[in-house]
Amino acid sequence: MPLFFLYLLKHYTMLIDYTKELQHLNKIRKGEIQEGYKLGIPEIDEFFRFKKANFNVILGQANVGKTSMALYLMLLYSLRHNIRWVVFSSENEPYSIIRKLMEYMLAEPINKMSEEAYKYAADVVGKFFKFISPEKLYTYKDLIKLGESYKAAWDYQGMLIDPYNSLIKDAEMSKTIDGHSYDYQAMTELRQFCKRNDISLWLNVHAVTSAIRMKHPIGHEFGGYPMPPSSGDVEGGAKFINRSDSFLIFHRYKSHPNLWNQTQMIVSKIKETESGGRPTPMDAPIRLTSLKNNVGFEIDGENILEKVLRNKKETKFAQANLRKA
């Protein structure tokens, strides 16, 4: 066989399927692209959707509730669209995450739940969430391997890695490339993992220390308070927003006398707006206020989870349990 044909045979799989790409392009042209999943909450749906195979990065300063806010949104998508999740959170004990999800589910502290309500909430969380033990140290490659093996055994649609900087470096890679190149490679492989497995990956990242010292100017609505970090304030730099499909920022004015319990959700990037979502306007984030006892959130005085449940007919049993709880 001529060398040219051997070369084509070896490298043919590296070429795109041109016909398939044209089919996708034609759907965009005709407005036939499937939209990302909505919650039935216009204040959120206008800017953010759950999209399969998307790589989402979430940024926030320490102790603003990044993990809690992410878990709440994840639960909402589970209840509305039966999304199943695999969770790796190295900074939280699994029981504390399960507790938070159960409290969100019933909008009630765990020590106030009846036996029936407790069992119901535990069953719902167990149905939609699986947890990777934080007792072992993992590289991003380890989590990709685990994620793919779990996908084959339990067909889930979303994965949370919380946070990125808790992952150890791959020893062999670290011998040959610097930290900047390592993170770029990691982001690329995590993105490919999403596309290859049709999984929406949510990656929590921390802001650099200097971002904490940035304060709003006097005269601003929040003059003197720490500013929300920008997408360039991630530990490791702009590579995270460059590689992401969606980039979210969660911020809370922790020391504000009146708004300490309000989380701002800033959508900084939506790569494909054809399937829904767009960046939030400057100085107009999505504002979610914590319920009493920190068991959920509301927008404009309306419990978000209850509204999501009302918008899904199949959840009558859940609504009944919420009323009993």
Side-chain angles (χ1 to χ4, degrees), residues 167 221 228 277:
L167 305 180
E221 176 187 5

Side-chain angles (χ1 to χ4, degrees), residues 257-268:
N258 303 315
L259 301 177
W260 58 271
N261 62 343
Q262 184 185 89
T263 297
Q264 294 190 354
M265 178 177 168
I266 301 165
V267 181
S268 185

Side-chain angles (χ1 to χ4, degrees), residues 6 21 25 98 130 138 149 182 208 226 251 266 274 279 324:
L6 288 173
E21 297 303 315
L25 191 60
I98 295 169
K130 301 294 183 188
Y138 298 93
S149 65
Y182 181 97
V208 293
H251 189 66
I266 301 165
E274 294 90 353
K324 290 179 187 176

Side-chain angles (χ1 to χ4, degrees), residues 34-68:
Q34 182 179 355
E35 289 191 346
Y37 292 157
K38 297 180 180 180
L39 290 173
I41 308 295
E43 295 87 346
I44 297 175
D45 294 338
E46 179 179 355
F47 302 104
F48 183 75
R49 310 283 182 85
F50 178 93
K51 300 178 184 180
K52 294 180 180 180
N54 253 32
F55 180 34
N56 311 282
V57 176
I58 301 172
L59 170 65
Q61 296 171 353
N63 198 35
V64 298
K66 286 191 305 298
T67 303
S68 296

